[in-house]
Amino acid sequence: KNEVEQSPQNLTAQEGEFITINCSYSVGISALHWLQQHPGGGIVSLFMLSSGKKKHGRLIATINIQEKHSSLHITASHPRDSAVYICGEFGGSQGNLIFGKGTKLSVKP
Amino acid sequence: GAGVSQSPRYKVAKRGQDVALRCDPISGHVSLFWYQQALGQGPEFLTYFQNEAQLDKSGLPSDRFFAERPEGSVSTLKIQRTQQEDSAVYLCASSLVLAGVDTQYFGPGTRLTVL
């Protein structure tokens, strides 16, 4: 069974702090997604990666295929980064995503 | 349109009512997914379409749930005889290509509350 575990579940940080959110998955995958969900529900795809590292602005995602582990880093965090961050792996043969429960991030000014 | 749209955004139903939730994917996107998100949880897969063909419905929780995409674009998720446990946000996502590794674009979701 595909399982995706995220840690921590909740994270509170002060503005400017470096943030790391972790994701572990149970089976070999072709790609792993990081998504951002703001209050009100809208989901935005941040990264899709299958190896190495990707960077977009202050966000960095890394993946270690051998260890079945991915991390999302936020540098110089800002209150507008407050959201739920969800990782998901392709779990089905048809391309559906299997998601973790999410990490709720709150960045205080 | 520019993105995936869903309607209605909010739906309140009395237990036992039937509801229909609509998804308009990005034009030209082949793949369409429905997910259910309970409060405080990550989304969970319900069903998947490739054009008009429903290729996977393994995530539908019961036979009260039915989805269709008759012309390969707009999709409707129907829930019959709604129950309180059906209360959740229903998310639709589309992607450009066939099954496999591709970015999924999500709609804003429909929040269903069953009283």
Side-chain angles (χ1 to χ4, degrees), chain A residues 30-31 33 37 43 48 90 94-97 99-101, chain B residues 33 35 37 41-43 45 48 99-102 104 106:
Chain A
S30 53
H33 280 236
Q37 186 171 33
I43 289 181
M48 183 176 65
F90 279 104
Q94 309 297 350
N96 62 280
L97 291 172
F99 295 96
K101 293 186 178 180
Chain B
F33 304 84
Y35 297 93
Q37 186 175 25
Q41 302 293 316
F45 170 75
Y48 159 74
V101 177
D102 191 22
Q104 294 191 9
F106 285 82

mmCIF file with all atom_site columns, all heavy atoms in Angstrom, chain A residues 30-31 33 37 43 48 90 94-97 99-101, chain B residues 33 35 37 41-43 45 48 99-102 104 106:
data_model
loop_
_atom_site.group_PDB
_atom_site.id
_atom_site.type_symbol
_atom_site.label_atom_id
_atom_site.label_alt_id
_atom_site.label_comp_id
_atom_site.label_asym_id
_atom_site.label_entity_id
_atom_site.label_seq_id
_atom_site.pdbx_PDB_ins_code
_atom_site.Cartn_x
_atom_site.Cartn_y
_atom_site.Cartn_z
_atom_site.occupancy
_atom_site.B_iso_or_equiv
_atom_site.pdbx_formal_charge
_atom_site.auth_seq_id
_atom_site.auth_comp_id
_atom_site.auth_asym_id
_atom_site.auth_atom_id
_atom_site.pdbx_PDB_model_num
ATOM 1   N N   . SER A 1 30  ? 7.619   7.688  -9.618  1.00 0.00 ? 30  SER A N   1
ATOM 2   C CA  . SER A 1 30  ? 8.157   8.369  -10.784 1.00 0.00 ? 30  SER A CA  1
ATOM 3   C C   . SER A 1 30  ? 8.285   9.870  -10.536 1.00 0.00 ? 30  SER A C   1
ATOM 4   O O   . SER A 1 30  ? 9.104   10.530 -11.158 1.00 0.00 ? 30  SER A O   1
ATOM 5   C CB  . SER A 1 30  ? 7.264   8.115  -12.002 1.00 0.00 ? 30  SER A CB  1
ATOM 6   O OG  . SER A 1 30  ? 5.930   8.440  -11.702 1.00 0.00 ? 30  SER A OG  1
ATOM 7   N N   . ALA A 1 31  ? 7.470   10.396 -9.653  1.00 0.00 ? 31  ALA A N   1
ATOM 8   C CA  . ALA A 1 31  ? 7.574   11.827 -9.342  1.00 0.00 ? 31  ALA A CA  1
ATOM 9   C C   . ALA A 1 31  ? 6.861   12.110 -8.035  1.00 0.00 ? 31  ALA A C   1
ATOM 10  O O   . ALA A 1 31  ? 5.922   11.414 -7.664  1.00 0.00 ? 31  ALA A O   1
ATOM 11  C CB  . ALA A 1 31  ? 6.975   12.682 -10.450 1.00 0.00 ? 31  ALA A CB  1
ATOM 12  N N   . HIS A 1 33  ? 5.109   15.349 -5.763  1.00 0.00 ? 33  HIS A N   1
ATOM 13  C CA  . HIS A 1 33  ? 4.585   16.704 -5.849  1.00 0.00 ? 33  HIS A CA  1
ATOM 14  C C   . HIS A 1 33  ? 4.639   17.386 -4.491  1.00 0.00 ? 33  HIS A C   1
ATOM 15  O O   . HIS A 1 33  ? 4.387   16.751 -3.460  1.00 0.00 ? 33  HIS A O   1
ATOM 16  C CB  . HIS A 1 33  ? 3.109   16.672 -6.264  1.00 0.00 ? 33  HIS A CB  1
ATOM 17  C CG  . HIS A 1 33  ? 2.888   16.480 -7.722  1.00 0.00 ? 33  HIS A CG  1
ATOM 18  N ND1 . HIS A 1 33  ? 2.157   17.363 -8.483  1.00 0.00 ? 33  HIS A ND1 1
ATOM 19  C CD2 . HIS A 1 33  ? 3.277   15.498 -8.563  1.00 0.00 ? 33  HIS A CD2 1
ATOM 20  C CE1 . HIS A 1 33  ? 2.106   16.934 -9.719  1.00 0.00 ? 33  HIS A CE1 1
ATOM 21  N NE2 . HIS A 1 33  ? 2.763   15.813 -9.796  1.00 0.00 ? 33  HIS A NE2 1
ATOM 22  N N   . GLN A 1 37  ? -1.696  24.830 -0.076  1.00 0.00 ? 37  GLN A N   1
ATOM 23  C CA  . GLN A 1 37  ? -3.133  25.057 0.051   1.00 0.00 ? 37  GLN A CA  1
ATOM 24  C C   . GLN A 1 37  ? -3.372  26.176 1.060   1.00 0.00 ? 37  GLN A C   1
ATOM 25  O O   . GLN A 1 37  ? -3.086  26.036 2.243   1.00 0.00 ? 37  GLN A O   1
ATOM 26  C CB  . GLN A 1 37  ? -3.858  23.793 0.481   1.00 0.00 ? 37  GLN A CB  1
ATOM 27  C CG  . GLN A 1 37  ? -5.376  23.935 0.494   1.00 0.00 ? 37  GLN A CG  1
ATOM 28  C CD  . GLN A 1 37  ? -6.093  22.615 0.708   1.00 0.00 ? 37  GLN A CD  1
ATOM 29  O OE1 . GLN A 1 37  ? -5.596  21.736 1.403   1.00 0.00 ? 37  GLN A OE1 1
ATOM 30  N NE2 . GLN A 1 37  ? -7.272  22.472 0.122   1.00 0.00 ? 37  GLN A NE2 1
ATOM 31  N N   . ILE A 1 43  ? -5.617  25.085 -4.155  1.00 0.00 ? 43  ILE A N   1
ATOM 32  C CA  . ILE A 1 43  ? -4.369  24.322 -4.161  1.00 0.00 ? 43  ILE A CA  1
ATOM 33  C C   . ILE A 1 43  ? -3.531  24.763 -5.351  1.00 0.00 ? 43  ILE A C   1
ATOM 34  O O   . ILE A 1 43  ? -4.013  24.824 -6.480  1.00 0.00 ? 43  ILE A O   1
ATOM 35  C CB  . ILE A 1 43  ? -4.649  22.816 -4.238  1.00 0.00 ? 43  ILE A CB  1
ATOM 36  C CG1 . ILE A 1 43  ? -5.243  22.313 -2.919  1.00 0.00 ? 43  ILE A CG1 1
ATOM 37  C CG2 . ILE A 1 43  ? -3.376  22.041 -4.557  1.00 0.00 ? 43  ILE A CG2 1
ATOM 38  C CD1 . ILE A 1 43  ? -5.537  20.830 -2.886  1.00 0.00 ? 43  ILE A CD1 1
ATOM 39  N N   . MET A 1 48  ? 7.152   19.555 -8.958  1.00 0.00 ? 48  MET A N   1
ATOM 40  C CA  . MET A 1 48  ? 7.073   18.139 -9.280  1.00 0.00 ? 48  MET A CA  1
ATOM 41  C C   . MET A 1 48  ? 8.505   17.710 -9.554  1.00 0.00 ? 48  MET A C   1
ATOM 42  O O   . MET A 1 48  ? 9.176   18.284 -10.413 1.00 0.00 ? 48  MET A O   1
ATOM 43  C CB  . MET A 1 48  ? 6.202   17.899 -10.512 1.00 0.00 ? 48  MET A CB  1
ATOM 44  C CG  . MET A 1 48  ? 6.022   16.449 -10.856 1.00 0.00 ? 48  MET A CG  1
ATOM 45  S SD  . MET A 1 48  ? 4.888   16.215 -12.236 1.00 0.00 ? 48  MET A SD  1
ATOM 46  C CE  . MET A 1 48  ? 5.795   16.987 -13.569 1.00 0.00 ? 48  MET A CE  1
ATOM 47  N N   . PHE A 1 90  ? 2.679   9.879  -7.058  1.00 0.00 ? 90  PHE A N   1
ATOM 48  C CA  . PHE A 1 90  ? 1.818   9.199  -8.017  1.00 0.00 ? 90  PHE A CA  1
ATOM 49  C C   . PHE A 1 90  ? 1.640   7.763  -7.546  1.00 0.00 ? 90  PHE A C   1
ATOM 50  O O   . PHE A 1 90  ? 2.572   6.985  -7.537  1.00 0.00 ? 90  PHE A O   1
ATOM 51  C CB  . PHE A 1 90  ? 2.431   9.228  -9.416  1.00 0.00 ? 90  PHE A CB  1
ATOM 52  C CG  . PHE A 1 90  ? 2.193   10.516 -10.120 1.00 0.00 ? 90  PHE A CG  1
ATOM 53  C CD1 . PHE A 1 90  ? 3.196   11.457 -10.242 1.00 0.00 ? 90  PHE A CD1 1
ATOM 54  C CD2 . PHE A 1 90  ? 0.945   10.808 -10.651 1.00 0.00 ? 90  PHE A CD2 1
ATOM 55  C CE1 . PHE A 1 90  ? 2.972   12.655 -10.880 1.00 0.00 ? 90  PHE A CE1 1
ATOM 56  C CE2 . PHE A 1 90  ? 0.716   12.007 -11.293 1.00 0.00 ? 90  PHE A CE2 1
ATOM 57  C CZ  . PHE A 1 90  ? 1.737   12.936 -11.415 1.00 0.00 ? 90  PHE A CZ  1
ATOM 58  N N   . GLN A 1 94  ? -2.973  5.183  -13.200 1.00 0.00 ? 94  GLN A N   1
ATOM 59  C CA  . GLN A 1 94  ? -3.552  6.197  -14.064 1.00 0.00 ? 94  GLN A CA  1
ATOM 60  C C   . GLN A 1 94  ? -3.066  7.587  -13.731 1.00 0.00 ? 94  GLN A C   1
ATOM 61  O O   . GLN A 1 94  ? -3.505  8.545  -14.350 1.00 0.00 ? 94  GLN A O   1
ATOM 62  C CB  . GLN A 1 94  ? -5.090  6.141  -13.970 1.00 0.00 ? 94  GLN A CB  1
ATOM 63  C CG  . GLN A 1 94  ? -5.680  4.768  -14.178 1.00 0.00 ? 94  GLN A CG  1
ATOM 64  C CD  . GLN A 1 94  ? -5.414  4.223  -15.563 1.00 0.00 ? 94  GLN A CD  1
ATOM 65  O OE1 . GLN A 1 94  ? -4.941  4.931  -16.439 1.00 0.00 ? 94  GLN A OE1 1
ATOM 66  N NE2 . GLN A 1 94  ? -5.689  2.954  -15.764 1.00 0.00 ? 94  GLN A NE2 1
ATOM 67  N N   . GLY A 1 95  ? -2.200  7.721  -12.767 1.00 0.00 ? 95  GLY A N   1
ATOM 68  C CA  . GLY A 1 95  ? -1.628  9.033  -12.507 1.00 0.00 ? 95  GLY A CA  1
ATOM 69  C C   . GLY A 1 95  ? -2.262  9.807  -11.372 1.00 0.00 ? 95  GLY A C   1
ATOM 70  O O   . GLY A 1 95  ? -1.967  10.985 -11.208 1.00 0.00 ? 95  GLY A O   1
ATOM 71  N N   . ASN A 1 96  ? -3.158  9.172  -10.609 1.00 0.00 ? 96  ASN A N   1
ATOM 72  C CA  . ASN A 1 96  ? -3.703  9.930  -9.486  1.00 0.00 ? 96  ASN A CA  1
ATOM 73  C C   . ASN A 1 96  ? -2.653  10.076 -8.396  1.00 0.00 ? 96  ASN A C   1
ATOM 74  O O   . ASN A 1 96  ? -1.728  9.283  -8.287  1.00 0.00 ? 96  ASN A O   1
ATOM 75  C CB  . ASN A 1 96  ? -4.955  9.246  -8.927  1.00 0.00 ? 96  ASN A CB  1
ATOM 76  C CG  . ASN A 1 96  ? -4.669  7.861  -8.385  1.00 0.00 ? 96  ASN A CG  1
ATOM 77  O OD1 . ASN A 1 96  ? -4.565  6.917  -9.155  1.00 0.00 ? 96  ASN A OD1 1
ATOM 78  N ND2 . ASN A 1 96  ? -4.520  7.740  -7.069  1.00 0.00 ? 96  ASN A ND2 1
ATOM 79  N N   . LEU A 1 97  ? -2.813  11.126 -7.617  1.00 0.00 ? 97  LEU A N   1
ATOM 80  C CA  . LEU A 1 97  ? -1.881  11.395 -6.536  1.00 0.00 ? 97  LEU A CA  1
ATOM 81  C C   . LEU A 1 97  ? -2.378  10.801 -5.229  1.00 0.00 ? 97  LEU A C   1
ATOM 82  O O   . LEU A 1 97  ? -3.572  10.808 -4.952  1.00 0.00 ? 97  LEU A O   1
ATOM 83  C CB  . LEU A 1 97  ? -1.698  12.897 -6.365  1.00 0.00 ? 97  LEU A CB  1
ATOM 84  C CG  . LEU A 1 97  ? -0.943  13.626 -7.500  1.00 0.00 ? 97  LEU A CG  1
ATOM 85  C CD1 . LEU A 1 97  ? -1.009  15.119 -7.304  1.00 0.00 ? 97  LEU A CD1 1
ATOM 86  C CD2 . LEU A 1 97  ? 0.493   13.158 -7.545  1.00 0.00 ? 97  LEU A CD2 1
ATOM 87  N N   . PHE A 1 99  ? -1.819  11.585 -1.318  1.00 0.00 ? 99  PHE A N   1
ATOM 88  C CA  . PHE A 1 99  ? -1.346  12.723 -0.559  1.00 0.00 ? 99  PHE A CA  1
ATOM 89  C C   . PHE A 1 99  ? -1.032  12.368 0.882   1.00 0.00 ? 99  PHE A C   1
ATOM 90  O O   . PHE A 1 99  ? -1.643  11.476 1.472   1.00 0.00 ? 99  PHE A O   1
ATOM 91  C CB  . PHE A 1 99  ? -2.417  13.822 -0.545  1.00 0.00 ? 99  PHE A CB  1
ATOM 92  C CG  . PHE A 1 99  ? -2.697  14.419 -1.888  1.00 0.00 ? 99  PHE A CG  1
ATOM 93  C CD1 . PHE A 1 99  ? -3.759  13.956 -2.650  1.00 0.00 ? 99  PHE A CD1 1
ATOM 94  C CD2 . PHE A 1 99  ? -1.919  15.442 -2.392  1.00 0.00 ? 99  PHE A CD2 1
ATOM 95  C CE1 . PHE A 1 99  ? -4.034  14.505 -3.883  1.00 0.00 ? 99  PHE A CE1 1
ATOM 96  C CE2 . PHE A 1 99  ? -2.180  15.996 -3.627  1.00 0.00 ? 99  PHE A CE2 1
ATOM 97  C CZ  . PHE A 1 99  ? -3.248  15.531 -4.381  1.00 0.00 ? 99  PHE A CZ  1
ATOM 98  N N   . GLY A 1 100 ? -0.095  13.133 1.468   1.00 0.00 ? 100 GLY A N   1
ATOM 99  C CA  . GLY A 1 100 ? 0.058   13.150 2.906   1.00 0.00 ? 100 GLY A CA  1
ATOM 100 C C   . GLY A 1 100 ? -1.039  14.004 3.514   1.00 0.00 ? 100 GLY A C   1
ATOM 101 O O   . GLY A 1 100 ? -1.851  14.609 2.803   1.00 0.00 ? 100 GLY A O   1
ATOM 102 N N   . LYS A 1 101 ? -1.055  14.058 4.841   1.00 0.00 ? 101 LYS A N   1
ATOM 103 C CA  . LYS A 1 101 ? -2.104  14.820 5.527   1.00 0.00 ? 101 LYS A CA  1
ATOM 104 C C   . LYS A 1 101 ? -1.819  16.310 5.538   1.00 0.00 ? 101 LYS A C   1
ATOM 105 O O   . LYS A 1 101 ? -2.688  17.099 5.894   1.00 0.00 ? 101 LYS A O   1
ATOM 106 C CB  . LYS A 1 101 ? -2.279  14.302 6.946   1.00 0.00 ? 101 LYS A CB  1
ATOM 107 C CG  . LYS A 1 101 ? -2.841  12.900 7.009   1.00 0.00 ? 101 LYS A CG  1
ATOM 108 C CD  . LYS A 1 101 ? -3.125  12.479 8.445   1.00 0.00 ? 101 LYS A CD  1
ATOM 109 C CE  . LYS A 1 101 ? -3.745  11.090 8.451   1.00 0.00 ? 101 LYS A CE  1
ATOM 110 N NZ  . LYS A 1 101 ? -4.049  10.632 9.826   1.00 0.00 ? 101 LYS A NZ  1
ATOM 111 N N   . PHE B 2 33  ? -9.312  14.492 -12.649 1.00 0.00 ? 33  PHE B N   1
ATOM 112 C CA  . PHE B 2 33  ? -9.328  13.746 -11.390 1.00 0.00 ? 33  PHE B CA  1
ATOM 113 C C   . PHE B 2 33  ? -10.315 14.391 -10.419 1.00 0.00 ? 33  PHE B C   1
ATOM 114 O O   . PHE B 2 33  ? -10.442 15.616 -10.365 1.00 0.00 ? 33  PHE B O   1
ATOM 115 C CB  . PHE B 2 33  ? -7.943  13.765 -10.725 1.00 0.00 ? 33  PHE B CB  1
ATOM 116 C CG  . PHE B 2 33  ? -6.830  13.241 -11.588 1.00 0.00 ? 33  PHE B CG  1
ATOM 117 C CD1 . PHE B 2 33  ? -6.195  14.069 -12.504 1.00 0.00 ? 33  PHE B CD1 1
ATOM 118 C CD2 . PHE B 2 33  ? -6.412  11.927 -11.481 1.00 0.00 ? 33  PHE B CD2 1
ATOM 119 C CE1 . PHE B 2 33  ? -5.168  13.607 -13.299 1.00 0.00 ? 33  PHE B CE1 1
ATOM 120 C CE2 . PHE B 2 33  ? -5.390  11.444 -12.278 1.00 0.00 ? 33  PHE B CE2 1
ATOM 121 C CZ  . PHE B 2 33  ? -4.756  12.282 -13.186 1.00 0.00 ? 33  PHE B CZ  1
ATOM 122 N N   . TYR B 2 35  ? -11.030 14.450 -6.241  1.00 0.00 ? 35  TYR B N   1
ATOM 123 C CA  . TYR B 2 35  ? -10.507 14.116 -4.929  1.00 0.00 ? 35  TYR B CA  1
ATOM 124 C C   . TYR B 2 35  ? -11.499 14.588 -3.871  1.00 0.00 ? 35  TYR B C   1
ATOM 125 O O   . TYR B 2 35  ? -12.227 15.557 -4.068  1.00 0.00 ? 35  TYR B O   1
ATOM 126 C CB  . TYR B 2 35  ? -9.158  14.807 -4.667  1.00 0.00 ? 35  TYR B CB  1
ATOM 127 C CG  . TYR B 2 35  ? -8.028  14.404 -5.586  1.00 0.00 ? 35  TYR B CG  1
ATOM 128 C CD1 . TYR B 2 35  ? -7.758  15.126 -6.752  1.00 0.00 ? 35  TYR B CD1 1
ATOM 129 C CD2 . TYR B 2 35  ? -7.201  13.323 -5.276  1.00 0.00 ? 35  TYR B CD2 1
ATOM 130 C CE1 . TYR B 2 35  ? -6.710  14.770 -7.589  1.00 0.00 ? 35  TYR B CE1 1
ATOM 131 C CE2 . TYR B 2 35  ? -6.153  12.956 -6.111  1.00 0.00 ? 35  TYR B CE2 1
ATOM 132 C CZ  . TYR B 2 35  ? -5.917  13.684 -7.258  1.00 0.00 ? 35  TYR B CZ  1
ATOM 133 O OH  . TYR B 2 35  ? -4.872  13.336 -8.085  1.00 0.00 ? 35  TYR B OH  1
ATOM 134 N N   . GLN B 2 37  ? -11.599 15.838 0.163   1.00 0.00 ? 37  GLN B N   1
ATOM 135 C CA  . GLN B 2 37  ? -10.744 16.288 1.265   1.00 0.00 ? 37  GLN B CA  1
ATOM 136 C C   . GLN B 2 37  ? -11.588 16.547 2.492   1.00 0.00 ? 37  GLN B C   1
ATOM 137 O O   . GLN B 2 37  ? -12.370 17.508 2.532   1.00 0.00 ? 37  GLN B O   1
ATOM 138 C CB  . GLN B 2 37  ? -9.957  17.539 0.887   1.00 0.00 ? 37  GLN B CB  1
ATOM 139 C CG  . GLN B 2 37  ? -8.949  17.953 1.947   1.00 0.00 ? 37  GLN B CG  1
ATOM 140 C CD  . GLN B 2 37  ? -8.085  19.127 1.522   1.00 0.00 ? 37  GLN B CD  1
ATOM 141 O OE1 . GLN B 2 37  ? -8.473  19.927 0.683   1.00 0.00 ? 37  GLN B OE1 1
ATOM 142 N NE2 . GLN B 2 37  ? -6.893  19.224 2.098   1.00 0.00 ? 37  GLN B NE2 1
ATOM 143 N N   . GLN B 2 41  ? -7.433  16.893 6.683   1.00 0.00 ? 41  GLN B N   1
ATOM 144 C CA  . GLN B 2 41  ? -6.784  15.769 6.007   1.00 0.00 ? 41  GLN B CA  1
ATOM 145 C C   . GLN B 2 41  ? -6.291  16.204 4.634   1.00 0.00 ? 41  GLN B C   1
ATOM 146 O O   . GLN B 2 41  ? -6.708  17.226 4.101   1.00 0.00 ? 41  GLN B O   1
ATOM 147 C CB  . GLN B 2 41  ? -7.767  14.608 5.837   1.00 0.00 ? 41  GLN B CB  1
ATOM 148 C CG  . GLN B 2 41  ? -8.368  14.099 7.130   1.00 0.00 ? 41  GLN B CG  1
ATOM 149 C CD  . GLN B 2 41  ? -7.342  13.439 8.021   1.00 0.00 ? 41  GLN B CD  1
ATOM 150 O OE1 . GLN B 2 41  ? -6.504  12.660 7.563   1.00 0.00 ? 41  GLN B OE1 1
ATOM 151 N NE2 . GLN B 2 41  ? -7.380  13.749 9.298   1.00 0.00 ? 41  GLN B NE2 1
ATOM 152 N N   . GLY B 2 42  ? -5.403  15.391 4.069   1.00 0.00 ? 42  GLY B N   1
ATOM 153 C CA  . GLY B 2 42  ? -5.020  15.612 2.685   1.00 0.00 ? 42  GLY B CA  1
ATOM 154 C C   . GLY B 2 42  ? -6.104  15.085 1.757   1.00 0.00 ? 42  GLY B C   1
ATOM 155 O O   . GLY B 2 42  ? -6.946  14.280 2.152   1.00 0.00 ? 42  GLY B O   1
ATOM 156 N N   . PRO B 2 43  ? -6.098  15.541 0.520   1.00 0.00 ? 43  PRO B N   1
ATOM 157 C CA  . PRO B 2 43  ? -7.091  15.044 -0.439  1.00 0.00 ? 43  PRO B CA  1
ATOM 158 C C   . PRO B 2 43  ? -6.937  13.546 -0.671  1.00 0.00 ? 43  PRO B C   1
ATOM 159 O O   . PRO B 2 43  ? -5.832  13.016 -0.618  1.00 0.00 ? 43  PRO B O   1
ATOM 160 C CB  . PRO B 2 43  ? -6.764  15.825 -1.719  1.00 0.00 ? 43  PRO B CB  1
ATOM 161 C CG  . PRO B 2 43  ? -5.973  17.005 -1.274  1.00 0.00 ? 43  PRO B CG  1
ATOM 162 C CD  . PRO B 2 43  ? -5.213  16.558 -0.066  1.00 0.00 ? 43  PRO B CD  1
ATOM 163 N N   . PHE B 2 45  ? -8.041  10.373 -3.405  1.00 0.00 ? 45  PHE B N   1
ATOM 164 C CA  . PHE B 2 45  ? -8.481  10.113 -4.773  1.00 0.00 ? 45  PHE B CA  1
ATOM 165 C C   . PHE B 2 45  ? -9.859  9.461  -4.810  1.00 0.00 ? 45  PHE B C   1
ATOM 166 O O   . PHE B 2 45  ? -10.161 8.549  -4.033  1.00 0.00 ? 45  PHE B O   1
ATOM 167 C CB  . PHE B 2 45  ? -7.459  9.182  -5.440  1.00 0.00 ? 45  PHE B CB  1
ATOM 168 C CG  . PHE B 2 45  ? -7.879  8.620  -6.764  1.00 0.00 ? 45  PHE B CG  1
ATOM 169 C CD1 . PHE B 2 45  ? -7.870  9.400  -7.904  1.00 0.00 ? 45  PHE B CD1 1
ATOM 170 C CD2 . PHE B 2 45  ? -8.296  7.299  -6.872  1.00 0.00 ? 45  PHE B CD2 1
ATOM 171 C CE1 . PHE B 2 45  ? -8.253  8.879  -9.129  1.00 0.00 ? 45  PHE B CE1 1
ATOM 172 C CE2 . PHE B 2 45  ? -8.678  6.768  -8.093  1.00 0.00 ? 45  PHE B CE2 1
ATOM 173 C CZ  . PHE B 2 45  ? -8.664  7.559  -9.217  1.00 0.00 ? 45  PHE B CZ  1
ATOM 174 N N   . TYR B 2 48  ? -10.927 8.948  -11.892 1.00 0.00 ? 48  TYR B N   1
ATOM 175 C CA  . TYR B 2 48  ? -10.078 9.529  -12.924 1.00 0.00 ? 48  TYR B CA  1
ATOM 176 C C   . TYR B 2 48  ? -10.688 9.297  -14.300 1.00 0.00 ? 48  TYR B C   1
ATOM 177 O O   . TYR B 2 48  ? -11.215 8.211  -14.575 1.00 0.00 ? 48  TYR B O   1
ATOM 178 C CB  . TYR B 2 48  ? -8.693  8.877  -12.848 1.00 0.00 ? 48  TYR B CB  1
ATOM 179 C CG  . TYR B 2 48  ? -7.856  8.980  -14.106 1.00 0.00 ? 48  TYR B CG  1
ATOM 180 C CD1 . TYR B 2 48  ? -7.267  10.180 -14.457 1.00 0.00 ? 48  TYR B CD1 1
ATOM 181 C CD2 . TYR B 2 48  ? -7.674  7.875  -14.931 1.00 0.00 ? 48  TYR B CD2 1
ATOM 182 C CE1 . TYR B 2 48  ? -6.497  10.281 -15.601 1.00 0.00 ? 48  TYR B CE1 1
ATOM 183 C CE2 . TYR B 2 48  ? -6.908  7.966  -16.087 1.00 0.00 ? 48  TYR B CE2 1
ATOM 184 C CZ  . TYR B 2 48  ? -6.315  9.174  -16.411 1.00 0.00 ? 48  TYR B CZ  1
ATOM 185 O OH  . TYR B 2 48  ? -5.558  9.282  -17.542 1.00 0.00 ? 48  TYR B OH  1
ATOM 186 N N   . ALA B 2 99  ? -2.187  9.548  -18.660 1.00 0.00 ? 99  ALA B N   1
ATOM 187 C CA  . ALA B 2 99  ? -1.712  9.116  -17.351 1.00 0.00 ? 99  ALA B CA  1
ATOM 188 C C   . ALA B 2 99  ? -0.199  9.114  -17.277 1.00 0.00 ? 99  ALA B C   1
ATOM 189 O O   . ALA B 2 99  ? 0.489   8.819  -18.232 1.00 0.00 ? 99  ALA B O   1
ATOM 190 C CB  . ALA B 2 99  ? -2.228  7.716  -17.063 1.00 0.00 ? 99  ALA B CB  1
ATOM 191 N N   . GLY B 2 100 ? 0.283   9.439  -16.104 1.00 0.00 ? 100 GLY B N   1
ATOM 192 C CA  . GLY B 2 100 ? 1.724   9.462  -15.921 1.00 0.00 ? 100 GLY B CA  1
ATOM 193 C C   . GLY B 2 100 ? 2.170   10.708 -15.200 1.00 0.00 ? 100 GLY B C   1
ATOM 194 O O   . GLY B 2 100 ? 1.393   11.341 -14.504 1.00 0.00 ? 100 GLY B O   1
ATOM 195 N N   . VAL B 2 101 ? 3.386   11.075 -15.392 1.00 0.00 ? 101 VAL B N   1
ATOM 196 C CA  . VAL B 2 101 ? 3.972   12.184 -14.653 1.00 0.00 ? 101 VAL B CA  1
ATOM 197 C C   . VAL B 2 101 ? 3.586   13.498 -15.329 1.00 0.00 ? 101 VAL B C   1
ATOM 198 O O   . VAL B 2 101 ? 4.011   13.775 -16.446 1.00 0.00 ? 101 VAL B O   1
ATOM 199 C CB  . VAL B 2 101 ? 5.498   12.037 -14.607 1.00 0.00 ? 101 VAL B CB  1
ATOM 200 C CG1 . VAL B 2 101 ? 6.109   13.225 -13.903 1.00 0.00 ? 101 VAL B CG1 1
ATOM 201 C CG2 . VAL B 2 101 ? 5.868   10.743 -13.919 1.00 0.00 ? 101 VAL B CG2 1
ATOM 202 N N   . ASP B 2 102 ? 2.788   14.278 -14.667 1.00 0.00 ? 102 ASP B N   1
ATOM 203 C CA  . ASP B 2 102 ? 2.379   15.554 -15.236 1.00 0.00 ? 102 ASP B CA  1
ATOM 204 C C   . ASP B 2 102 ? 1.843   16.436 -14.125 1.00 0.00 ? 102 ASP B C   1
ATOM 205 O O   . ASP B 2 102 ? 1.273   15.934 -13.150 1.00 0.00 ? 102 ASP B O   1
ATOM 206 C CB  . ASP B 2 102 ? 1.311   15.346 -16.312 1.00 0.00 ? 102 ASP B CB  1
ATOM 207 C CG  . ASP B 2 102 ? 1.049   16.589 -17.123 1.00 0.00 ? 102 ASP B CG  1
ATOM 208 O OD1 . ASP B 2 102 ? 1.934   17.470 -17.156 1.00 0.00 ? 102 ASP B OD1 1
ATOM 209 O OD2 . ASP B 2 102 ? -0.031  16.705 -17.722 1.00 0.00 ? 102 ASP B OD2 1
ATOM 210 N N   . GLN B 2 104 ? -0.647  18.551 -12.116 1.00 0.00 ? 104 GLN B N   1
ATOM 211 C CA  . GLN B 2 104 ? -2.096  18.608 -11.996 1.00 0.00 ? 104 GLN B CA  1
ATOM 212 C C   . GLN B 2 104 ? -2.495  20.010 -11.537 1.00 0.00 ? 104 GLN B C   1
ATOM 213 O O   . GLN B 2 104 ? -1.904  20.552 -10.610 1.00 0.00 ? 104 GLN B O   1
ATOM 214 C CB  . GLN B 2 104 ? -2.596  17.555 -11.007 1.00 0.00 ? 104 GLN B CB  1
ATOM 215 C CG  . GLN B 2 104 ? -2.358  16.144 -11.516 1.00 0.00 ? 104 GLN B CG  1
ATOM 216 C CD  . GLN B 2 104 ? -3.071  15.078 -10.715 1.00 0.00 ? 104 GLN B CD  1
ATOM 217 O OE1 . GLN B 2 104 ? -3.900  15.359 -9.849  1.00 0.00 ? 104 GLN B OE1 1
ATOM 218 N NE2 . GLN B 2 104 ? -2.747  13.827 -10.996 1.00 0.00 ? 104 GLN B NE2 1
ATOM 219 N N   . PHE B 2 106 ? -5.414  22.323 -9.981  1.00 0.00 ? 106 PHE B N   1
ATOM 220 C CA  . PHE B 2 106 ? -6.571  22.111 -9.128  1.00 0.00 ? 106 PHE B CA  1
ATOM 221 C C   . PHE B 2 106 ? -7.572  23.252 -9.243  1.00 0.00 ? 106 PHE B C   1
ATOM 222 O O   . PHE B 2 106 ? -7.199  24.421 -9.366  1.00 0.00 ? 106 PHE B O   1
ATOM 223 C CB  . PHE B 2 106 ? -6.138  21.977 -7.662  1.00 0.00 ? 106 PHE B CB  1
ATOM 224 C CG  . PHE B 2 106 ? -5.508  20.651 -7.355  1.00 0.00 ? 106 PHE B CG  1
ATOM 225 C CD1 . PHE B 2 106 ? -4.177  20.416 -7.636  1.00 0.00 ? 106 PHE B CD1 1
ATOM 226 C CD2 . PHE B 2 106 ? -6.262  19.629 -6.781  1.00 0.00 ? 106 PHE B CD2 1
ATOM 227 C CE1 . PHE B 2 106 ? -3.591  19.190 -7.366  1.00 0.00 ? 106 PHE B CE1 1
ATOM 228 C CE2 . PHE B 2 106 ? -5.687  18.405 -6.506  1.00 0.00 ? 106 PHE B CE2 1
ATOM 229 C CZ  . PHE B 2 106 ? -4.354  18.187 -6.794  1.00 0.00 ? 106 PHE B CZ  1
#
